[in-house]
Amino acid sequence: MKKLIIICCILLLTLIACKKDNHLMYEGKITGFDASKCMCCGGWFIEINNTTFRFYNLPENSNLDLWNEPLPIYVEVVWKKDEKGCLGDEIIIEYINIDFHGKQPPVFYE
């Protein structure tokens, strides 16, 4: 009986310690800068699943330089809706990686 209680306690602790990860990786395409002039405009356009969103910042650990990369830029992203967005199309990018899966070859500089 003691073994059963110990096994149940270990199982319970394991289940409590597990954290569900809702972060899904999406393929996207950064298409350009939003040069519109309005209070809520600006940022970068990104297409994800045939829907165009805007984002203002990249994650701090990203070394992607949007101003100097040729567009479009194919990327893999983890994102969430920006709850403080003004126009409703804003997202927050939590993770970004350039996607080279045959869509955009790497550029080699001499």
Side-chain angles (χ1 to χ4, degrees):
M1 186 69 174
K2 268 186 168 180
K3 286 184 180 182
L4 182 60
I5 293 173
I6 291 172
I7 291 173
C8 288
C9 288
I10 291 173
L11 181 62
L12 181 64
L13 290 173
T14 304
L15 291 174
I16 292 172
C18 289
K19 186 172 142 184
K20 187 175 180 184
D21 188 3
N22 289 329
H23 297 131
L24 297 175
M25 186 76 69
Y26 291 89
E27 291 184 356
K29 178 172 61 172
I30 300 173
T31 57
F33 181 74
D34 179 10
S36 304
K37 294 183 180 182
C38 70
M39 182 183 281
C40 297
C41 299
W44 293 86
F45 290 113
I46 183 169
E47 292 178 16
I48 302 171
N49 293 336
N50 296 320
T51 302
T52 301
F53 298 101
R54 284 183 307 124
F55 66 95
Y56 297 107
N57 300 308
L58 292 173
E60 288 183 22
N61 61 351
S62 173
N63 59 0
L64 183 60
D65 183 359
L66 296 174
W67 294 104
N68 293 312
E69 292 286 336
L71 296 172
I73 304 169
Y74 292 90
V75 293
E76 297 172 327
V77 295
V78 174
W79 63 277
K80 66 180 180 181
K81 188 82 170 149
D82 186 352
E83 299 299 327
K84 298 178 183 176
C86 187
L87 296 176
D89 65 344
E90 298 92 345
I91 63 172
I92 296 172
I93 295 182
E94 298 176 332
Y95 172 83
I96 190 164
N97 188 39
I98 295 179
D99 181 10
F100 294 119
H101 298 286
K103 296 180 182 175
Q104 178 178 328
V107 177
F108 297 100
Y109 299 98
E110 294 182 24

